[in-house]
Amino acid sequence: MREVMQAILDFFLYMIMAVFAQNAVFTRALGVSRLTKIVEDQADTLTFSILLCSVQIISAPLGYLATSLIKKWPYQIYIRPLVFTLCATAAFFVVLGVVVATRKAHLARHAVAALPMATFNTCILGTLMVSATQGFDFMQTMGFAIGSGLGYVLAVQVVAEGQRKLDHARVPEMFRGLPVTLLYIGILALAIYGLTGHTVTF
């Protein structure tokens, strides 16, 4: 019973850590290019976020299993990125099947169009890589994956809201759009980096 409670505690601790202290976007810059694209295009961020979280949840156990299987291979660090890409691809087809089976045709087309961008990005692959290199157990891997997905959703919402606030006449014309968005993300990243106890060394 104690081991089960410890595993559940680890799950929630790693999930909370991934959402805030180790936010995939703000502390590791994972998925920044996709984030700026969907915010700039004013795409349906909710659909994208749900798809990304779904792929994250499905690919995490596949990545954990694959890491366990190739652990003793002599060149595992070289083939690991390919293995994780295959895990993300498998998750892509699972989510695609669910979307097509459960949504109406015109809604499914919109979700299917966003699914490749939500699957093949550094947020998904980076989370799998971090879990493997840090030697997380299954519960820690799942907690970190779910937390990373939720952290990405949080980052999307924060950046989208910031983008709306930054669309102001007082922002110099040359900084509008992507430049000011990247500056905003950078300032947020420094703030979160500082909140986690890091200091800048000169």
Side-chain angles (χ1 to χ4, degrees):
M1 183 65 178
R2 185 177 178 181
E3 291 180 359
V4 173
M5 293 302 295
Q6 185 61 46
I8 293 171
L9 179 63
D10 284 347
F11 172 83
F12 283 107
L13 284 175
Y14 276 78
M15 185 175 70
I16 292 168
M17 177 187 73
V19 173
F20 299 106
Q22 294 292 332
N23 187 285
V25 174
F26 297 131
T27 64
R28 298 179 184 272
L30 299 179
V32 170
S33 60
R34 298 299 193 197
L35 182 145
T36 54
K37 177 172 174 53
I38 65 169
V39 170
E40 194 170 275
D41 293 348
Q42 297 182 335
D44 186 351
T45 56
L46 180 61
T47 299
F48 179 85
S49 298
I50 291 170
L51 291 172
L52 185 135
C53 287
S54 301
V55 172
Q56 193 82 274
I57 291 168
I58 295 168
S59 63
L62 296 176
Y64 177 80
L65 179 61
T67 301
S68 302
L69 291 174
I70 67 171
K71 189 177 288 184
K72 294 182 180 179
W73 292 14
Y75 301 107
Q76 56 145 328
I77 59 171
Y78 302 110
I79 64 167
R80 199 186 288 163
L82 175 61
V83 170
F84 290 156
T85 302
L86 292 174
C87 291
T89 303
F92 170 86
F93 284 109
V94 171
V95 174
L96 178 64
V98 171
V99 167
V100 171
T102 59
R103 301 194 73 169
K104 294 179 181 177
H106 68 286
L107 295 173
R109 277 196 297 272
H110 179 65
V112 167
L115 185 56
M117 191 166 69
T119 303
F120 302 105
N121 66 65
T122 54
C123 184
I124 301 292
L125 300 177
T127 299
L128 295 175
M129 187 66 74
V130 169
S131 299
T133 55
Q134 296 296 319
F136 292 162
D137 62 27
F138 181 75
M139 292 298 283
Q140 292 169 344
T141 299
M142 290 305 298
F144 190 74
I146 293 170
S148 294
L150 294 176
Y152 196 89
V153 173
L154 175 67
V156 167
Q157 298 307 317
V158 168
V159 173
E161 182 61 29
Q163 185 72 9
R164 283 191 286 273
K165 301 282 186 181
L166 292 168
D167 188 17
H168 194 279
R170 294 178 66 181
V171 176
E173 190 173 345
M174 68 177 66
F175 282 104
R176 290 179 193 168
L178 183 60
V180 75
T181 301
L182 291 176
L183 284 171
Y184 175 62
I185 293 171
I187 292 168
L188 283 172
L190 285 172
I192 291 174
Y193 195 71
L195 283 172
T196 57
H198 295 93
T199 57
V200 179
T201 55
F202 295 98

